[in-house]
C-alpha cells in the first residue's frame, strides 16, 4: 500500500466516525445504516444490535423528543498488517443530550455531558470502507 493510498483509507475511516455522529444527530437513519456492513454489530454499552435490520430497530426506537449532539475527537485509525482491507479505530465522543422536539428551537440540556469511546472495526467493501463493528463504552460519566 502506498502512503497516499493509506492516508486516503485513514481519512475514509475517520469520516465514518464523523458521519455516524452527524447522521445520528440529524435523524438521517438510512444514511446511518449505510455506514455499516450488512452483518455489522453495534454494541451500546452491552446492548448489542446485530445486523442492519437490528440496528434499524434501535434507530427507530430513539425518542422523538430527545435531541443529541455527538462531538468526535482524537480519532485514531490503525491498519492490520495481515490485510489491506481491515482496520481498527478509536474515537472519543463528547455526548450532549437535551429534551425538546427536534426542529422546534434549542433543546433544554437534560444533564451534564459525558464522554464515550467508539471502538471500531472497519472493512473495505465494494462500495468503500464501512463499519463492521462498533463498541460504545462510557469513559467519563457526570
Amino acid at each position: 500500500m502506498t502512503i497516499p493510498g493509506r492516508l486516503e483509507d485513514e481519512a475514509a475511516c475517520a469520516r465514518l466516525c464523523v458521519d455516524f455522529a452527524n447522521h445520528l444527530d440529524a435523524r438521517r437513519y438510512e444514511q446511518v445504516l449505510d455506514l455499516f456492513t450488512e452483518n455489522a454489530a453495534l454494541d451500546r454499552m452491552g446492548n448489542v444490535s446485530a445486523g442492519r435490520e437490528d440496528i434499524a430497530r434501535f434507530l427507530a426506537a430513539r425518542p422523538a423528543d430527545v435531541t443529541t449532539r455527538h462531538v468526535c475527537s482524537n480519532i485514531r485509525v490503525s491498519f492490520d498488517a495481515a490485510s489491506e482491507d481491515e482496520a481498527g479505530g478509536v474515537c472519543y465522543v463528547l455526548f450532549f443530550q437535551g429534551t425538546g422536539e427536534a426542529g422546534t428551537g434549542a433543546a433544554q440540556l437534560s444533564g451534564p455531558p459525558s464522554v464515550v469511546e467508539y471502538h471500531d472495526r472497519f472493512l473495505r467493501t465494494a462500495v468503500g470502507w464501512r463499519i463492521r463493528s462498533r463498541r460504545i463504552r462510557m469513559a467519563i460519566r457526570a
Side-chain angles (χ1 to χ4, degrees):
M1 175 64 64
T2 65
I3 291 174
R6 185 54 82 205
L7 292 174
E8 289 173 6
D9 290 343
E10 183 177 349
C13 292
R15 177 72 187 253
L16 290 169
C17 294
V18 174
D19 285 351
F20 175 86
N22 288 340
H23 293 321
L24 185 67
D25 291 341
R27 298 179 179 277
R28 294 186 296 261
Y29 297 146
E30 287 300 317
Q31 288 92 330
V32 170
L33 291 172
D34 189 48
L35 302 174
F36 289 90
T37 62
E38 285 296 327
N39 61 346
L42 176 62
D43 177 346
R44 301 169 333 277
M45 290 173 266
N47 297 313
V48 179
S49 299
R52 279 192 185 180
E53 284 185 26
D54 205 16
I55 295 169
R57 281 190 286 279
F58 153 68
L59 295 170
R62 292 182 77 223
D65 64 339
V66 174
T67 299
T68 59
R69 291 296 179 265
H70 296 77
V71 182
C72 300
S73 71
N74 298 53
I75 300 171
R76 178 90 174 149
V77 177
S78 56
F79 294 92
D80 295 348
S83 172
E84 292 186 3
D85 297 326
E86 296 183 45
V90 176
C91 175
Y92 298 165
V93 181
L94 183 59
F95 174 73
F96 297 88
Q97 183 170 303
T99 54
E101 193 74 31
T104 61
Q108 180 68 41
L109 193 62
S110 57
S114 354
V115 178
V116 297
E117 295 176 356
Y118 294 162
H119 295 264
D120 295 321
R121 294 298 304 159
F122 302 110
L123 180 67
R124 185 194 322 261
T125 70
V127 294
W129 286 94
R130 294 294 182 263
I131 301 168
R132 183 173 63 193
S133 68
R134 168 162 283 173
R135 283 186 315 116
I136 302 172
R137 295 294 181 255
M138 185 64 65
I140 301 172
R141 178 174 301 155

